[in-house]
Amino acid sequence: MNSVIHSQAVDIPYNMTSTTFELPGYRIVENFGVVRGVVVRSRSVFGTIGASFQTIVGGNISLFTELAERTRQQAFDTMIVQAEMAGADAVIGIRYDANELMAGVTEVLCYGTAVRVKPLEG
């Protein structure tokens, strides 16, 4: 699958995603299995130099924080697209994982279980 950016993500609402294995007020009626979004990113030379200057002052390294957040969002959005393509309307048990593949190159994985749910009656 091509890279997914946030504006391309389908509309499974955030309240239909959860790190738990249930959604309050809903029952799971179909399980589509594991879905995932994988993003591999490297730091640019300019970003690394800018972040190096930020370390001199201390505190939050905003250049890396922004890169990390964008990468996690892209992995999440890709997972949501995979869930929608499977026929799901919710994703449960969501987790993130990150691995350094080589110096300056990181893989971010977002995964969960794609499910179809129905509102509880009564």
Side-chain angles (χ1 to χ4, degrees), residues 71-118:
T71 303
R72 287 184 190 105
Q73 185 66 54
Q74 187 177 13
F76 181 89
D77 290 344
T78 302
M79 177 197 63
I80 294 297
V81 168
Q82 293 292 323
E84 195 275 337
M85 288 173 56
D89 58 9
V91 181
I92 58 173
I94 296 173
R95 301 289 185 269
Y96 285 94
D97 193 14
N99 299 294
E100 188 172 47
L101 301 177
M102 58 186 280
V105 178
T106 304
E107 165 201 46
V108 174
L109 170 67
C110 182
Y111 61 97
T113 303
V115 295
R116 182 171 296 137
V117 296
K118 297 270 187 206

Side-chain angles (χ1 to χ4, degrees), residues 1 6 10 13-15 19 22 24-25 35 55 63 67 69 72-73 78 82-83 86 89 91-92 104-105 107 112 119:
M1 162 174 257
H6 188 65
V10 294
Y14 285 121
N15 68 337
T19 58
E22 61 185 10
V35 289
T55 63
L63 292 169
L67 176 63
E69 187 56 39
R72 287 184 190 105
Q73 185 66 54
T78 302
Q82 293 292 323
D89 58 9
V91 181
I92 58 173
V105 178
E107 165 201 46

Side-chain angles (χ1 to χ4, degrees), residues 41-53:
R41 286 271 168 90
S42 66
R43 299 178 300 227
S44 73
V45 172
F46 299 112
T48 301
I49 291 169
S52 296
F53 286 127

